[in-house]
Amino acid sequence: MEETKESLTFKGVAERLTLGITRILENMPGVVDVRFVEKEPAEKRSLLSWEQKNTCILPEDLRDFYLTTDGFTLTWSVKLDNECVPLGCMMINSVSTLCPLLQSVSLFSLPNAPSLADLDWEEDGAESGRGRAPAAPHFDSRSRIFELHSCGVNGKVCLVYKNCTTGVVAQQSEIWFLDRSLCWHLLTATFTSYYRLMITHLGLPEWQYAFTPYGPSPQAKQWASLYQPLTFSSELNFADPAGDSHLNKLDPTKAFKGKAKVPVLKKKQSTPCSLGSTAKSQSSAVRHHSGGKR
């Protein structure tokens, strides 16, 4: 009986933790193998140890999340041609794997070896020229970046502390997305908002690219239109009322319009009658010329 009560209690916690998304996925057509990994809560001393080690204060909502479950993993697949194809993945790293994006330089590395810090070549004046866009994180000591989720080959979702000073505890954090081209894109200001976005987008491939100027790939858009039609259509309308403003707009009337052809003058073909008259005139001219010589 006690084991049954514990299982029911954890099931209720898992239901609230996933916001009921598991039941929604299981009722979707073609969705199979919905898996939610059960994890124990993190210990307070592990959170304090992380903060002391990284000189950062975890945001309150992320701290409460870790005290409920030490990480989050929910995956699901689709059935195509009698084969299960992994598609959705929602993941939050545990406290032990919430590691800095920039690892410390090894003693055995070359002194002039390139690093991500070399990408911070822009001056402050160039950053202020972007208008109201928030200042992007830096790869050097001015920012402290920790990996919340490695999105495979699509990028990384990071917990970012900006405007950091060496030896001073950082407190203000944001959630940013680092894409494949190593460009930063702000996702949310709080972890709770990011968590809701992750659940809303069902962990579909490249869903973070909906918050970038160029958007997801065509294949990812097809998956989104199939399993997330309402959110997908609203994101398109939010980006551009007439559609995706970052897609090349093709005008068929102009692209496939043929060039004006220059009319070719056709030579008049001579008729047999004209050929006969021409031959007679030429023969008479020859006779007249020969007669003059005599």
Side-chain angles (χ1 to χ4, degrees):
M1 291 294 293
E2 293 181 356
E3 293 181 356
T4 305
K5 289 182 179 179
E6 290 180 358
S7 62
L8 291 176
T9 302
F10 183 81
K11 186 177 181 180
V13 174
E15 187 75 11
R16 293 194 299 269
L17 189 62
T18 59
L19 304 179
I21 199 64
T22 53
R23 290 185 289 104
I24 297 176
L25 287 171
E26 291 172 350
N27 294 327
M28 284 186 173
V31 175
V32 295
D33 197 17
V34 180
R35 295 187 180 184
F36 173 68
V37 180
E38 303 176 0
K39 296 184 178 182
E40 295 293 330
E43 298 181 356
K44 289 185 177 181
R45 61 181 180 180
S46 62
L47 300 179
L48 294 174
S49 176
W50 186 93
E51 291 178 341
Q52 293 176 358
K53 177 182 177 181
N54 297 287
T55 322
C56 295
I57 300 297
L58 286 171
E60 195 66 25
D61 52 359
L62 183 56
R63 174 187 289 271
D64 294 338
F65 175 82
Y66 280 132
L67 292 177
T68 305
T69 174
D70 190 10
F72 182 90
T73 303
L74 195 157
T75 58
W76 54 280
S77 306
V78 293
K79 194 172 184 179
L80 295 176
D81 297 333
N82 296 325
E83 293 184 3
C84 292
V85 179
L87 185 63
C89 179
M90 292 169 263
M91 182 178 293
I92 301 294
N93 288 340
S94 61
V95 178
S96 59
T97 55
L98 188 62
C99 301
L101 180 66
L102 305 176
Q103 301 294 336
S104 58
V105 180
S106 174
L107 297 175
F108 301 99
S109 61
L110 297 175
N112 296 326
S115 63
L116 290 176
D118 297 329
L119 299 177
D120 288 329
W121 57 272
E122 293 185 354
E123 298 180 356
D124 295 338
E127 294 180 355
S128 61
R130 297 178 181 176
R132 295 183 180 181
H138 296 278
F139 291 108
D140 54 17
S141 59
R142 288 175 288 180
S143 300
R144 296 170 191 169
I145 307 169
F146 305 93
E147 186 177 328
L148 273 177
H149 178 210
S150 177
C151 311
V153 297
N154 297 322
K156 297 179 184 295
V157 177
C158 300
L159 177 69
V160 178
Y161 296 83
K162 296 190 300 183
N163 303 323
C164 298
T165 305
T166 304
V168 178
V169 178
Q171 298 183 6
Q172 299 296 328
S173 62
E174 296 172 333
I175 309 298
W176 286 73
F177 175 62
L178 182 66
D179 65 13
R180 288 186 291 259
S181 60
L182 300 180
C183 292
W184 288 104
H185 309 278
L186 178 64
L187 293 179
T188 59
T190 63
F191 171 77
T192 302
S193 300
Y194 168 74
Y195 184 80
R196 291 174 178 171
L197 278 180
M198 180 183 68
I199 297 295
T200 304
H201 287 81
L202 307 178
L204 287 167
E206 303 181 20
W207 71 265
Q208 295 89 353
Y209 280 88
F211 300 89
T212 65
Y214 24 88
S217 64
Q219 183 179 4
K221 288 183 178 180
Q222 290 180 352
W223 287 119
S225 62
L226 180 62
Y227 288 103
Q228 194 195 16
L230 296 179
T231 308
F232 177 71
S233 60
S234 63
E235 285 175 354
L236 287 181
N237 294 332
F238 179 77
D240 185 3
D244 194 345
S245 60
H246 302 283
L247 292 178
N248 293 328
K249 292 182 173 58
L250 179 64
D251 187 358
T253 59
K254 294 182 179 180
F256 302 104
K257 186 178 181 181
K259 296 181 180 180
K261 295 183 179 180
V262 179
V264 180
L265 297 177
K266 295 183 179 180
K267 296 181 178 179
K268 294 183 179 180
Q269 296 181 355
S270 55
T271 60
C273 298
S274 61
L275 287 175
S277 60
T278 303
K280 289 181 180 180
S281 59
Q282 289 179 353
S283 61
S284 61
V286 171
R287 290 175 182 176
H288 178 73
H289 184 68
S290 60
K293 287 184 177 179
R294 291 178 184 176

